[in-house]
Amino acid sequence: MPLGTVHVQAWRETYPGIVQDDVLAALQPEERAMMWQARLNDGGRVVLTDDSTGIAGFADGGAQRDASLPFTGEVMATCVLRRAADGRDGTTVAGCRAPHDEPVGGGG
């Protein structure tokens, strides 16, 4: 399942009743895919998690935007499909590490 499709599906599963239905319905996987491609081309990092059926979620990270914090990087977004998150707390994606084994967000 392409990244844009996972992004849209995760939002539609997660945000009904929080985000207006017409906004969720208007999300287009192709537009999200182009957004993520631009993010990657701009130096962003996306860490994927998968299951037996394909991509099940991802985390987006990059350089820390707040120089006053003691971290070199931060997690900027996470999206996890319901099938991968049911009964779990999201640490499969949140606990991923960036290239070179550098933590993407917390310390250590």
Side-chain angles (χ1 to χ4, degrees):
M1 182 179 296
L3 190 57
T5 302
V6 171
H7 182 142
V8 169
Q9 182 177 335
W11 270 62
R12 288 179 178 162
E13 291 175 354
T14 304
Y15 296 115
I18 299 169
V19 174
Q20 294 178 349
D21 292 343
D22 59 329
V23 172
L24 294 174
L27 292 173
Q28 296 297 316
E30 299 80 13
E31 291 175 6
R32 297 293 89 192
M34 289 189 302
M35 181 202 75
W36 286 111
Q37 187 60 58
R39 173 84 177 110
L40 291 170
N41 291 345
D42 200 29
R45 297 177 180 171
V46 176
V47 180
L48 305 175
T49 187
D50 61 2
D51 61 16
S52 63
T53 62
I55 299 172
F58 62 90
D60 169 38
Q64 178 59 258
R65 295 174 287 184
D66 183 345
S68 71
L69 296 173
F71 312 114
T72 59
E74 70 178 281
V75 174
M76 297 172 183
T78 59
C79 284
V80 179
L81 297 178
R82 181 173 291 137
R83 70 170 197 255
D86 278 346
R88 292 184 271 168
D89 62 6
T91 56
T92 301
V93 173
C96 291
R97 290 190 166 286
H100 312 297
D101 206 33
E102 177 184 326
V104 175

